[in-house]
Amino acid sequence: MQHLLLVDETFDLNFTQEYHLSIQFSLDGFSFCVRDGLQNKYIYLFHKEFSGNLRFMHRKLKDIYSEFDILLADFKSTQIHYSSPGRMTLLPEGFFDEQHGQEAYELNLELSDEEELYYLPVKSYQQVLQMAIPKKVKHFFTDKHPGILIQNELVTQLSKNAKRASAHPLIDIQVFRNQMTLTLADHTIRFCNSFMYRNDNDLLYYILNVVQTEQIDDVRIQLSGRVNKRSPIYHQLRQYFKEVAITTRSTEVYYSYLFDQLPDARFVNLLNNYA
């Protein structure tokens, strides 16, 4: 799916002041959706895949914004989320010092001259997420959407998982084109990391390795991203774990009938991030 555009017939560019805009971007691509606040209904979804590296992301964003004037319309609210597997790390609040943030980040990851560090609190777990973001990309969004704080998909997901915490640990897996982000949490974050993968066997290996290393007997598995109930990894995990679920869209909002054709859980977190 290189390109996707779903527009409900009720969408009206003259009423954007009653609409809510949500944007999500990563190396996998750029997506945005629009929710009609009066109907409490999603009526617009766009997605375009990227290929390449961080250096070209700014140029691709400029091309999309020049093509879709709607992105600069006057919306009731706007949210921006960055998905950054492999370009982020978590630190306990007590150890975080912004003055030495780069030193801490570079203990595990390399920060290029074209990136800058961005810090977001994960209040539910008393952690701070450090994420590297291309400077040109950050300045692009700051210019196009003044005053909007760029969020991170992982922070949002961790906050939601914390509210649904139970006695059983939860492994949350976000599946991207060739990377995955795996988080193991209960009342604390026990593990969080991103991995490159080539196939479903790689995915399974990383998941089972974390479970074995952390010595967990009873765990829930939650998947989102490029996965559906026909995916091999979904069926493989069900052979090892009792509770394996693919994250579904919230039932607290409505969706255009066009959204029924979405092939997987790639946009679930974007759609569930409504204000």
Side-chain angles (χ1 to χ4, degrees):
M1 182 175 55
Q2 299 295 320
H3 185 277
L4 174 72
L5 179 61
L6 304 177
V7 185
D8 190 85
E9 58 267 23
T10 62
F11 174 77
D12 190 334
L13 193 56
N14 296 313
F15 288 92
T16 56
Q17 290 185 343
E18 298 297 336
Y19 294 166
H20 302 268
L21 173 67
S22 294
I23 295 169
Q24 185 168 290
F25 68 100
S26 70
L27 273 181
D28 274 13
F30 176 91
S31 309
F32 73 88
C33 61
V34 174
R35 180 172 61 88
D36 181 342
L38 296 177
Q39 299 184 76
N40 193 28
K41 175 181 175 183
Y42 280 105
I43 57 174
Y44 197 116
L45 176 64
F46 168 81
H47 171 74
K48 185 171 185 178
E49 292 201 354
F50 292 158
S51 60
N53 55 42
L54 291 169
R55 186 172 300 175
F56 303 109
M57 185 183 288
H58 172 249
R59 186 186 309 165
K60 292 172 181 177
L61 291 173
K62 285 180 65 177
D63 291 342
I64 292 171
Y65 269 70
S66 64
E67 183 180 353
F68 288 87
D69 294 338
I70 179 180
L71 288 166
L72 297 178
D74 185 14
F75 286 93
K76 193 169 187 177
S77 72
T78 299
Q79 296 183 100
I80 302 175
H81 287 80
Y82 182 32
S83 300
S84 56
R87 310 301 302 156
M88 59 192 177
T89 185
L90 283 169
L91 283 177
E93 282 181 354
F95 289 94
F96 175 68
D97 176 4
E98 190 168 342
Q99 255 190 328
H100 301 94
Q102 184 170 337
E103 294 175 29
Y105 181 86
E106 291 184 327
L107 289 173
N108 297 302
L109 299 168
E110 182 179 345
L111 186 71
S112 75
D113 293 337
E114 297 175 353
E115 296 175 302
E116 64 179 273
L117 282 180
Y118 206 69
Y119 306 101
L120 292 170
V122 188
K123 295 179 181 178
S124 304
Y125 292 104
Q126 294 81 53
Q127 301 269 333
V128 175
L129 180 86
Q130 295 178 292
M131 69 173 181
I133 186 169
K135 295 176 183 178
K136 288 184 177 180
V137 169
K138 181 187 174 185
H139 296 154
F140 176 82
F141 281 115
T142 301
D143 178 61
K144 298 296 184 184
H145 305 279
I148 298 298
L149 177 67
I150 299 175
Q151 299 289 342
N152 188 284
E153 182 183 12
L154 179 63
V155 173
T156 306
Q157 199 62 25
L158 284 170
S159 299
K160 289 181 179 178
N161 291 341
K163 292 177 183 178
R164 298 192 296 263
S166 71
H168 303 306
L170 173 68
I171 289 183
D172 184 89
I173 302 159
Q174 296 173 317
V175 183
F176 299 90
R177 183 189 299 121
N178 53 22
Q179 294 188 74
M180 65 177 291
T181 296
L182 189 156
T183 305
L184 168 63
D186 40 34
H187 61 283
T188 62
I189 298 175
R190 297 170 57 173
F191 182 91
C192 182
N193 204 352
S194 297
F195 303 97
M196 301 288 293
Y197 73 91
R198 293 168 298 178
N199 51 48
D200 290 275
N201 289 333
D202 287 347
L203 288 172
L204 184 63
Y205 168 79
Y206 290 126
I207 296 165
L208 294 179
N209 187 56
V210 169
V211 171
Q212 183 178 28
T213 302
E214 295 294 325
Q215 300 182 349
I216 311 167
D217 294 323
D218 195 2
V219 64
R220 296 172 295 144
I221 306 289
Q222 177 176 279
L223 298 157
S224 63
R226 292 172 177 256
V227 63
N228 57 40
K229 289 189 175 180
R230 297 183 300 278
S231 302
I233 186 60
Y234 173 73
H235 294 283
Q236 288 172 337
L237 288 170
R238 292 188 67 190
Q239 295 176 23
Y240 291 91
F241 305 100
K242 292 180 181 178
E243 293 189 56
V244 180
I246 295 176
T247 307
T248 57
R249 299 183 315 215
S250 171
T251 57
E252 296 180 6
V253 294
Y254 300 99
Y255 306 86
S256 168
Y257 66 93
L258 297 171
F259 286 45
D260 294 339
Q261 64 185 274
L262 296 178
D264 49 35
R266 199 174 315 182
F267 308 107
V268 166
N269 292 335
L270 170 67
L271 296 170
N272 287 351
N273 285 336
Y274 56 88

